[in-house]
Structures are given as C-alpha cells and as structure tokens.
Amino acid sequence: MAPNTLPDDQLNVIILITESPSQNGYIESLINAYIRAGHTVICDAHNFFFSNHTPDFIHIHWPERLYKWLSIEGIKKTDIHQTIKNRLAWYKSRNVKIIYTIHNLQPHGSHTNTEKDIYKTVLNHADILLHHCNKSIELVQKIYPFAQDKKNVVCPHGDYLIHYRNIPQLDARKKYNIPPEKIVTLNFGTQKPYKNTNLINEAFDQLKIDSKFLFIAGRYQNPGKNALAKLYYRFLSMVAQKFGSPKKKVLHKAIPTEEIPYLLNSADIVFLGQEHGLNSGLIALAATYSKPVVCPNIGCFKESIKEWQHASYQAGNAADAANALNKIYDKVLDNKKRNTAFDNTKWLADSSWDKHVERIPLVSDS
C-alpha cells in the first residue's frame, strides 16, 4: 500500500512494538508492512520500560515478553506487574494508544495468578484489540467482559513469504530419507502435551492407505534446567529415530529457520493435533507453501483457513481426525495424478501483511 493512500492523520505514525525481529518471521513481516505503509517503527521491550520517547502507538503481542522472556536488571520479579501497570499508565497519560494483538487467551505453559493478572492488565489498558478471527472476539469477551468496550478489529494472520524457498520435493525428501512415492503428512513445531502427538499417531494408524507416511518434526517442550529430563527427552528422540516405523519418521530437535523450507516442501499435508488453543502460525505457514491443512475445529483454526484447502475435525477425536485426513488424501492423490499443485494465489493475496496493516486503525490524536 503506498503511503499517500492513507488519511492525513494516519501518515507516519510512530509505533513502538514490544518485540524484535526473530526467527519466527511474524514480527519482521509486520514491521516491514508498517514501514511500507509510511510509518516509523521502534522495536524491543526494553524501550517499553526505559525509553523517554513518546510514540503514537504501543503494539503489544505477547505479554510474556514484558515479564518472562526479557532480562531486566533493576526490577524485582515481585514488582514486575506493578511496573508494567505503571508504565502503561505513563503512556496513556501522554495520549499514546495501546494496541494488543491477541495470540492466545492465557499465558504460555504453566502459569501463576500473577501472570493471569498481567494479561488482564494489558487488556484493560489496551485501546485496540487485534484478533486473527471473529471467534477470537467472542472468546476474549467471554473471559474478559470489559473487552466489549474496546475497539475490536479482525486482522487475519499474514503469510510467511519472508522465509519462503521453493525446494523441489525430491530434494527436500532426500534430506530426510523419505521415499519419493509416499504421501507425507507433516506435524511440525515444539512438541507440547496439548498438541497431542498421541492423537496424531492414532489417527494416522487408522488410515487404510499404503502410501501414507507420517513426519513429526520439532523439539520436545523445553524441560528446563532439569538434567534428567533433558536426558530423558534426548533418549526418547534417539529411540524414535532409530527404531521408528517405515511409515513414520520422528525428528525431535530444534528446527532452525533455514531448514523450515525443507520440511514444508517435503510434505503433502500439514496436520495439527491440538486439544485446545486460539491461533497457530503453522496454518499460515502451510498455506504459504501450498500445503492443505487438517486441523481441529478450535479457536481461530477453521476460520483462518476457510479460503484454503483444509479439513477439520472434532478436537481429541482420532476417528474424526482420520476421516478428515482421508478427505485431504483423496485431493492430494488426485493432484498427483494430474501433476498439479494446490493454487494458493488467492490466499496469499488475502493474507498479505500490507492488508493486515490496512485493517489496523492507526489514527493518531496528535
């Protein structure tokens, strides 16, 4: 979007994002879109706490960045909630508008009441709540009724073209020793309990398809500093890789950004097994690589891919998941017979980061 298409009061606003570019690609893509739209972007949560500059907007994504994922000297853990509250009030007193993109409904992993309170504080101070789907608005307002008084805006999750590479499928499969004739179902990401690896395996085992192949890639959830837990997870990975089924491959390791194109290009289908959740970047990643998606009907999942090739199932129901996989397998087999690929041109156009930024009401009061 060219900067001169913006309203006069929306030209060149200054936005402080409490994140920095990372391997994920989401934040860097958003920053680039903000800049293309003519805005000035300042990054990093340290600026949120210590800068004396007054931007037009603060854009918060994951509240954990302000209290858990950031090393801050001089602020005690027992004081962090009040410090965040005071800092938000300081910005509000200077007519800075707070934008909060709601990626999840509650803090990541196990969490304390203080962490829940910090989430509520961020929501309470926000002027604009950005959601990746309409269902998110409903779910957030059910938990936090005061969110009805905020400006709620739907901005669908953007693409992952920033790290996209088109690698021939044969080359990608050679890297992982996957036979070229297989129909590969990929489950990718940190293997956490709620992502339900057991259901993925159970659903896959119910498929009556000779060419089926399951590829699970991603490290186990960080066991923390417990040395025994680390050894246990490493042992599980070694066993899975050494004695795995000829129809399955397990790659339990942290996947660097430069390897992600190999994973996605090796696959035919992307499968998500979550029991619960609001959003998943894996859906947008799959669509970016023209891979159909099989996912549970939870949170924003189904709505996020309504314009893309997908099949959904009841969360936790392995038989329903197997039926959904079968539907997509039929489409993949048909494409392979005709030597065609799924066309994601429309999805990419609708999910561009420029359109994402266009939807955000960046109107400064200054």
Side-chain angles (χ1 to χ4, degrees), residues 156-159 347-357 359:
H157 196 301
D159 60 61
W347 183 89
L348 287 173
D350 292 341
S351 304
S352 76
W353 285 100
D354 290 340
K355 285 191 175 180
H356 182 100
V357 166
R359 295 182 175 99

Side-chain angles (χ1 to χ4, degrees), residues 63-285:
E64 288 93 335
R65 183 66 63 198
L66 302 177
Y67 67 88
K68 181 184 283 187
W69 302 340
L70 183 72
S71 177
I72 309 176
E73 294 186 11
I75 302 177
K76 296 179 182 179
K77 288 186 177 180
T78 52
D79 298 334
I80 190 64
H81 183 195
Q82 189 60 50
T83 302
I84 293 170
K85 189 181 294 186
N86 291 345
R87 196 61 178 162
L88 288 168
W90 183 86
Y91 284 115
K92 297 280 283 186
S93 72
R94 286 158 176 77
N95 296 318
V96 177
K97 291 186 177 180
I98 310 295
I99 304 170
Y100 175 31
T101 294
I102 298 178
H103 294 276
N104 42 291
L105 296 172
Q106 59 185 5
H108 287 77
S110 58
H111 46 266
T112 65
N113 287 332
T114 298
E115 292 182 80
K116 290 181 180 179
D117 289 342
I118 291 174
Y119 259 62
K120 186 175 181 179
T121 292
V122 172
L123 268 161
N124 193 41
H125 283 78
D127 300 286
I128 302 167
L129 301 179
L130 301 186
H131 304 262
H132 287 326
C133 73
N134 287 288
K135 184 69 174 179
S136 174
I137 298 176
E138 175 189 331
L139 294 172
V140 168
Q141 292 181 357
K142 184 176 181 179
I143 300 171
Y144 307 99
F146 62 83
Q148 298 177 41
D149 300 327
K150 310 292 183 180
K151 183 172 288 186
N152 290 271
V153 181
V154 175
C155 295
H157 196 301
D159 60 61
Y160 280 103
L161 287 173
I162 192 165
H163 294 140
Y164 176 83
R165 286 176 61 200
N166 183 18
I167 298 170
Q169 191 171 80
L170 284 176
D171 293 344
R173 290 190 178 184
K174 282 179 183 178
K175 181 177 178 65
Y176 303 112
N177 295 315
I178 297 175
E181 71 277 6
K182 297 296 185 180
I183 306 296
V184 176
T185 298
L186 173 68
N187 174 257
F188 165 54
T190 302
Q191 301 301 311
K192 302 177 182 180
Y194 76 91
K195 291 188 177 180
N196 214 346
T197 304
N198 289 338
L199 177 134
I200 295 168
N201 279 283
E202 189 178 342
F204 179 81
D205 290 342
Q206 291 183 32
L207 295 177
K208 307 300 182 184
I209 299 171
D210 291 337
S211 59
K212 68 180 183 180
F213 193 93
L214 178 62
F215 188 12
I216 297 176
R219 66 176 175 84
Y220 279 108
Q221 186 173 19
N222 186 358
K225 297 180 180 179
N226 188 314
L228 287 176
K230 289 181 178 179
L231 286 173
Y232 172 70
Y233 286 126
R234 188 176 300 172
F235 172 74
L236 286 181
S237 298
M238 291 171 61
V239 170
Q241 292 176 52
K242 188 172 181 65
F243 302 105
S245 161
K247 292 184 179 293
K248 297 180 183 179
K249 183 177 183 65
V250 176
L251 189 66
H252 282 317
K253 70 166 192 173
I255 307 296
T257 300
E258 59 269 19
E259 189 175 340
I260 291 175
Y262 284 92
L263 289 178
L264 271 295
N265 282 296
S266 74
D268 296 296
I269 302 165
V270 171
F271 184 95
L272 290 82
Q274 279 91 326
E275 293 178 353
H276 57 82
L278 182 61
N279 297 289
S280 174
L282 183 55
I283 291 173
L285 184 64

Side-chain angles (χ1 to χ4, degrees), residues 1 3 6-7 9-15 30-42 56-57 357-358 360-363:
M1 180 176 67
L6 289 166
D9 58 356
Q10 197 167 329
L11 280 173
N12 194 30
V13 298
I14 301 172
I15 305 160
L30 175 62
I31 290 170
N32 291 341
Y34 270 144
I35 293 171
R36 285 194 298 271
H39 306 307
T40 298
V41 179
I42 303 168
D56 298 300
F57 293 87
V357 166
E358 281 180 12
I360 304 173
L362 295 173
V363 180

Side-chain angles (χ1 to χ4, degrees), residues 337-352:
K337 288 176 183 177
R338 295 186 288 111
N339 196 28
T340 59
F342 293 101
D343 185 359
N344 66 350
T345 305
K346 185 179 185 302
W347 183 89
L348 287 173
D350 292 341
S351 304
S352 76

